[in-house]
């Protein structure tokens, strides 16, 4: 919404993105710019379409209309090699980690290197171990299978996988949900540290305000299919917007009702 | 008016489903023939389908061969044609029972496993994760299974045919007083190449159908454990029905007139 004047082409640029499932309008005209190196956090209620927004950008879902540009290149409708080329620059931490449960941890982390970049297994393994260390996991974890890990460890492995191929864009879908507050803060720190080390542009999703203010430079709020507020991470607590106010303070009374949230 | 609308909606849903299936099949086949290939994954699926199905298929065909010998002996005795037992056993097995029974058993074993595995990967977003890691799910998940299905089912059926004939031989020589040498001579005497070849062609087609149904239903499963369960059932049922229908069609193509 407020394009960075220093950066003529935003890293990610959305215009009029709409997506509906049957009669359920999930995204109703999203306009968004994320500048290179910036960390933007999208907040919003459960079921407001945050994950759908990320999946549209990744090309996992096709928006009904609108434009999504990455590095100035239109990506809506790309498929096959062209889509792979775009996605090779993107790392994604899924809401449920989405680790491949048929592969040991290190192969999960090295997956993008082995399959996407055709790296040798030994080289990929070394890189995977380095990434695991970066997210604070012992090398012995590398041989375990995802089912043998706790939720917090799975998130860490997911994070390691997201950054293994050194992407310049990273998406985090609810990185701290389901973790205890200390582990959540550890993950937040890891996200800040790893994206800073990579110099990557980050787009995160959360409904955890502590996480949002910690990892975000800017915050956008998604409500009823639109971004109703975008501003600096520090301004979110005095946004002057009744919806944002209700959300960040977690109050039951306010303009956001149960029904609207579900819809 | 209302009635017409319902009919129209059902028809449209059906056309949509058929179109989706046709597109899935087209994509899957196109990825079988285009590189990159995943030899490790193909090998793993081949072991899963070929090697681990051997006991099931072997037992099924063994007892089928045995019962065929017994049944045809008592049945054919009514018109004094007991001598045809060995021929009946080998032709029934190679043309029909080998491929159909192996197909149905493997559909239950492998079709279900594929649908469950791919379905779980779908609902836990592992398939989405594949795409974001620049790996095509069709190449990585579907193509290896199809290749393994097409190649391993004929091998399984070939082994099954041999075990089934052996079952007939066991009964023929121990219970029915056939001379072993005569039984074997009778077995090969009237057997033609086309009997075996048509059975192996059927097996390849069934292998394709089983893997395709497992992958298709798994790939399109929705909504958690329940969705995966439904996908598994659908994969087995649709593969079994298609096997029986295609069995007729292929038989007609080979042997009609
Ligand atoms: N594949 C799909 N098919 C149909 N409807 C879908 C699909 N994916 C999402 N939806 C619908 O889109 C809406 C938004 O879902 P989404 O997963 O984006 O929510 P979210 O904001 O990420 O919520 P949460 O915070 O709980 O993860 C929901 O109403 C959901 O039912
Ligand atoms: Mg979500």
């Amino acid at each position: 919404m407020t394009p960075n004047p220093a950066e003529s082409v935003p890293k990610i640029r959305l215009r009029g993105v709409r997506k509906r499932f049957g009669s359920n309008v999930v995204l109703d005209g999203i306009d968004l710019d994320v500048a290179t190196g910036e960390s933007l956090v999208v907040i919003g209620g459960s079921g407001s379409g945050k994950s759908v927004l990320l999946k549209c950008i990744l090309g996992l879902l096709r928006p009904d209309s609108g434009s999504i540009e990455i590095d100035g290149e239109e990506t809506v409708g790309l498929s096959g090699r062209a889509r792979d080329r775009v996605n090779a620059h993107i790392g994604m931490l899924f809401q449920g980690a989405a680790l491949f449960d048929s592969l040991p941890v290190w192969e999960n982390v090295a997956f993008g290197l082995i399959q996407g970049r055709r790296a040798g297994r030994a080289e990929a393994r070394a890189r995977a171990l380095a990434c695991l260390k970066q997210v604070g996991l012992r090398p012995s974890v590398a041989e375990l299978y995802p089912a043998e890990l706790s939720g917090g460890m799975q998130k860490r492995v997911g994070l390691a996988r997201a950054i293994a191929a050194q992407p310049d864009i990273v998406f985090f879908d609810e990185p701290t949900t389901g973790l205890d507050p200390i582990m959540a803060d550890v993950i937040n720190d890891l996200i800040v540290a790893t994206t800073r080390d990579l110099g990557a542009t980050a787009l995160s999703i959360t409904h955890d305000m502590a996480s949002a203010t910690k990892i975000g430079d800017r915050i956008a709020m998604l409500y009823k299919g639109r971004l109703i507020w975008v501003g600096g991470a520090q301004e979110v607590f005095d946004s002057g917007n009744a919806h944002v106010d209700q959300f960040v303070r977690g109050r039951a009374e306010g303009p956001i009702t149960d029904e609207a949230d579900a819809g | 008016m209302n009635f017409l609308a319902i009919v129209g909606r059902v028809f449209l849903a059906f056309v949509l489903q058929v179109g989706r299936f046709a597109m899935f099949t087209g994509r899957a086949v196109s990825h079988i023939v285009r590189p990159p290939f995943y030899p490790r994954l193909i090998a793993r699926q081949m072991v899963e389908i070929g090697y681990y199905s051997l006991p099931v298929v072997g037992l099924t065909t063994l007892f089928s061969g045995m019962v065929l010998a017994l049944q045809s002996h008592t049945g054919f005795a009514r018109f004094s044609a007991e001598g045809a037992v060995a021929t009946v056993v080998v032709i029934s097995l190679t043309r029909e029972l080998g491929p159909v029974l192996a197909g149905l058993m493997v559909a239950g074993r492998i079709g279900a496993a594929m649908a469950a595995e791919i379905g779980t990967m779908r609902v836990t977003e592992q398939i989405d994760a594949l795409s974001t890691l620049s790996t095509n799910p069709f190449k990585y998940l579907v193509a290896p299974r199809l290749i393994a299905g097409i190649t391993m089912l004929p091998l399984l059926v070939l082994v099954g045919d041999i075990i089934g004939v052996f079952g007939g031989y066991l009964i023929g020589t121990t219970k029915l007083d056939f001379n072993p040498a005569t039984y074997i001579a009778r077995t090969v005497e009237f057997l033609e190449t086309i009997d075996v070849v048509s059975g192996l062609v059927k097996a390849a087609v069934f292998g394709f159908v089983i893997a395709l149904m497992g992958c298709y239903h798994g790939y399109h499963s929705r909504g958690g454990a329940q969705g995966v369960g439904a996908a598994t059932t659908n994969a087995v049922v649709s593969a079994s029905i298609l096997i029986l229908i295609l069995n007729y069609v292929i038989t007609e193509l080979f042997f009609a007139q």
Side-chain angles (χ1 to χ4, degrees):
Chain A
M1 305 230 140
T2 44
N4 185 342
E7 199 62 51
S8 51
V9 181
K11 195 78 183 166
I12 306 170
R13 177 188 162 100
L14 277 66
R15 285 295 175 271
V17 174
R18 285 166 210 278
K19 178 73 190 174
R20 57 193 286 175
F21 296 101
S23 61
N24 179 10
V25 179
V26 178
L27 302 179
D28 190 16
I30 301 282
D31 297 328
L32 180 68
D33 286 314
V34 189
T36 305
E38 182 186 34
S39 172
L40 182 99
V41 175
V42 176
I43 58 174
S46 221
S48 57
K50 305 182 298 296
S51 296
V52 170
L53 178 66
L54 275 197
K55 286 181 183 171
C56 284
I57 302 176
L58 279 166
L60 298 171
L61 291 172
R62 195 190 167 127
D64 301 328
S65 63
S67 134
I68 298 172
E69 291 175 11
I70 293 175
D71 283 326
E73 183 191 351
E74 179 61 52
T75 63
V76 172
L78 285 188
S79 62
R81 297 252 156 83
R83 168 59 67 182
D84 286 349
R85 186 171 42 73
V86 171
N87 279 1
H89 298 278
I90 305 178
M92 165 90 182
L93 171 59
F94 282 85
Q95 191 164 353
L99 301 177
F100 305 122
D101 38 33
S102 61
L103 299 177
V105 163
W106 80 265
E107 276 194 62
N108 264 283
V109 176
F111 195 91
L113 302 170
I114 295 174
Q115 306 298 347
R117 306 242 169 125
R118 311 257 132 219
R121 288 177 74 80
E123 177 199 342
R125 195 190 148 91
R127 176 93 193 101
L129 289 175
C131 287
L132 286 173
K133 189 170 170 210
Q134 217 177 330
V135 298
L137 289 173
R138 280 169 292 111
S140 60
V141 173
E143 301 303 330
L144 298 179
Y145 281 82
E148 300 170 298
L149 305 179
S150 75
M153 289 162 93
Q154 289 187 2
K155 284 265 157 89
R156 288 186 193 224
V157 175
L159 181 60
R161 184 174 72 180
I163 59 171
Q166 294 175 304
D168 36 72
I169 301 174
V170 211
F171 293 158
F172 302 103
D173 193 347
E174 307 201 5
T176 58
T177 312
L179 302 179
D180 70 66
I182 297 171
M183 181 58 76
D185 202 47
V186 170
I187 295 278
N188 287 335
D189 285 338
L190 282 174
I191 288 175
V192 172
T194 49
T195 47
R196 190 188 50 222
D197 293 350
L198 286 172
T201 307
L203 179 55
S204 319
I205 282 177
T206 189
H207 30 209
D208 168 1
M209 287 316 298
S211 177
T213 48
K214 185 147 193 176
I215 61 186
D217 300 325
R218 281 198 303 152
I219 293 180
M221 169 132 175
L222 185 61
Y223 179 68
K224 284 199 170 175
R226 292 171 168 277
L227 291 176
I228 54 166
W229 184 84
V230 183
Q234 301 318 317
E235 300 155 30
V236 72
F237 288 101
D238 42 18
S239 59
N241 181 309
H243 291 84
V244 178
D245 246 25
Q246 186 192 348
F247 187 86
V248 300
R249 299 203 159 72
R251 292 204 195 96
E253 330 69 70
I256 306 175
T257 61
D258 235 10
E259 183 216 358
D261 195 25
Chain B
M1 213 42 220
N2 213 348
F3 174 72
L4 280 182
I6 294 172
V7 171
R9 197 165 305 144
V10 169
F11 180 72
L12 276 183
F14 177 74
V15 170
L16 220 67
Q17 188 77 17
V18 170
R20 195 173 73 159
F21 177 67
M23 266 175 61
F24 185 92
T25 311
R27 273 180 80 183
V29 170
S30 80
H31 282 286
I32 293 180
V33 292
R34 277 184 301 160
F37 303 107
Y38 293 101
R40 274 164 174 272
L41 298 177
I42 296 173
R44 189 191 295 174
Q45 290 302 323
M46 283 182 161
V47 170
E48 191 60 45
I49 298 178
Y51 184 69
Y52 288 110
S53 301
L54 262 181
V56 186
V57 171
L59 272 177
T60 317
T61 48
L62 177 72
F63 279 95
S64 304
M66 286 162 63
V67 84
L68 261 180
L70 211 54
Q71 285 281 26
S72 52
H73 187 262
T74 52
F76 287 13
R78 293 177 190 162
F79 44 95
S80 321
E82 298 98 320
V85 166
T87 314
V88 168
V89 168
V90 73
I91 291 186
S92 322
L93 273 171
T94 52
R95 282 191 179 194
E96 280 296 319
L97 290 178
V100 171
L101 289 178
L104 292 178
M105 294 320 267
V106 175
R109 229 186 74 81
I110 298 296
M114 285 182 180
E117 185 177 357
I118 296 182
T120 306
M121 291 186 73
R122 163 63 71 197
V123 302
T124 56
E125 297 184 316
Q126 291 178 50
I127 293 185
D128 289 343
L130 274 181
S131 313
T132 65
L133 294 165
S134 305
T135 303
N136 189 315
F138 275 80
K139 272 231 132 66
Y140 189 81
L141 295 174
V142 180
R145 285 170 170 77
L146 288 177
I147 293 172
I150 296 170
T151 52
M152 292 322 278
L153 249 258
L155 277 180
L156 268 177
V157 166
L158 200 60
V159 175
D161 285 348
I162 294 167
I163 295 177
V165 167
F166 175 71
Y169 168 88
L170 272 185
I171 295 301
T173 53
T174 57
K175 279 187 83 92
L176 308 177
D177 303 324
F178 273 95
N179 175 303
T182 323
Y183 190 95
I184 292 173
R186 280 293 172 84
T187 297
V188 289
E189 193 177 352
F190 294 106
L191 185 67
E192 291 176 19
T193 317
I194 189 142
D195 297 328
V196 179
V197 168
S198 69
L200 297 185
V201 170
K202 282 180 180 180
V205 172
F206 298 167
F208 176 75
V209 165
I210 292 165
L212 186 68
M213 286 297 145
C215 294
Y216 174 76
H217 288 286
Y219 196 82
H220 289 288
S221 59
R222 291 263 170 279
Q226 198 182 4
V228 175
T232 309
T233 312
N234 289 339
V236 176
V237 171
S238 58
S240 305
I241 292 175
L242 274 177
I243 283 174
L244 295 174
I245 295 174
L246 288 172
N247 180 46
Y248 177 81
V249 174
I250 300 171
T251 308
E252 171 110 17
L253 287 179
F254 268 101
F255 299 111
Q257 292 139 45

